[in-house]
Amino acid sequence: MNAETCLKKLQYVGVLAFATVDGNGAPQVRNISAIHYEPDAMYFFTARGKDFCRELLSDGRVQILGYTKYKEMIRVTAKAEPAPGDEQKQWIDTIFREQPYLENVYPGDTRDIGIVFMIRRAQIEYFNLGVHPIFRESYTIGAENVTIKGYEITDACIGCGTCVQKCPQSCIEAGEPFRIRQEHCLHCGSCFANCPVSAVIRR
């Protein structure tokens, strides 16, 4: 698994949920399918008059979520930017060619009201609930860094094994200190909640 494969899986999903923040700081979610994929980038179309467009232009932060039939969750965290002006027509034409239904929505030259945003830097989280133990990993596209999440066991661990007994995915190994196999961790916090000496911390 890698970032390029995650983008391909999102392409197969088709319709993705895009979350933004409005002018009052409230979350807003839309389903978007007018998307073009490159191996290391995403381009998507919207109309300039939409709140979605205004939110992207004023803030740019976006989270994109797709869920496959195999119970794979893929989340993209990024800052979207308008594609350069001299590239707008190229990407609009590409998206309309790949998504023929758009001709019914914006026939003829009415597509000119649209704008294409691009994502070339992003964090991608892959989370597969369809396997046991579950599998998760994070990737990046462009010059982006992965935000560390989840839990870890510190040197305060006394080796009692309570965390092992309470872990629903059996992803904690004995050691000094005990160790969480991060690629199989649910981030549920059971080890954190049940450690008798508070040796588990949030990463």
Side-chain angles (χ1 to χ4, degrees):
M1 187 64 60
N2 55 31
E4 183 175 350
T5 303
C6 287
L7 292 181
K8 286 180 180 177
K9 287 178 177 289
L10 290 178
Q11 186 171 4
Y12 297 143
V13 170
V15 179
L16 307 180
F18 279 61
T20 56
V21 178
D22 69 16
N24 296 316
Q28 302 292 329
V29 180
R30 287 92 172 174
N31 286 332
I32 304 291
S33 59
I35 308 168
H36 168 74
Y37 295 86
E38 294 286 324
D40 57 354
M42 298 173 67
Y43 296 82
F44 57 95
F45 173 93
T46 189
R48 294 177 185 274
K50 290 182 177 288
D51 290 341
F52 180 45
C53 181
R54 288 195 291 273
E55 290 156 11
L56 291 171
L57 288 172
S58 66
D59 184 282
R61 289 177 297 165
V62 65
Q63 276 200 334
I64 304 164
L65 187 66
Y67 194 75
T68 77
K69 65 180 180 179
Y70 303 109
K71 297 181 171 55
E72 301 164 289
M73 184 278 292
I74 301 170
R75 179 168 54 197
V76 178
T77 302
K79 190 158 187 177
E81 299 175 337
D86 59 352
E87 296 180 12
Q88 283 287 327
K89 185 179 186 307
Q90 166 198 342
W91 295 120
I92 289 174
D93 290 347
T94 297
I95 290 170
F96 272 66
R97 185 170 59 253
E98 294 174 349
Q99 306 288 346
Y101 79 92
L102 287 172
E103 287 288 357
N104 296 324
V105 183
Y106 298 99
D109 62 4
T110 64
R111 70 172 69 175
D112 293 345
I113 194 60
I115 180 173
V116 171
F117 286 88
M118 62 184 186
I119 292 173
R120 292 179 175 168
R121 293 180 53 179
Q123 295 183 57
I124 301 177
E125 296 173 78
Y126 174 83
F127 187 28
N128 189 341
L129 291 170
V131 295
H132 185 81
I134 63 91
F135 177 78
R136 75 184 317 139
E137 218 165 46
S138 295
Y139 315 99
T140 62
I141 56 176
E144 197 58 59
N145 297 314
V146 171
T147 299
I148 302 299
K149 298 181 179 180
Y151 297 86
E152 65 181 66
I153 301 171
T154 68
D155 289 338
C157 172
I158 58 174
C160 67
T162 301
C163 57
V164 175
Q165 297 167 18
K166 295 294 184 178
C167 178
Q169 288 295 307
S170 302
C171 72
I172 301 178
E173 298 176 332
E176 297 181 5
F178 279 42
R179 185 181 76 87
I180 300 170
R181 288 178 291 163
Q182 298 295 335
E183 70 275 18
H184 302 307
C185 180
L186 278 171
H187 296 178
C188 68
S190 181
C191 56
F192 178 82
N194 287 285
C195 180
V197 294
S198 300
V200 183
I201 60 171
R202 294 181 191 273
R203 302 175 80 200

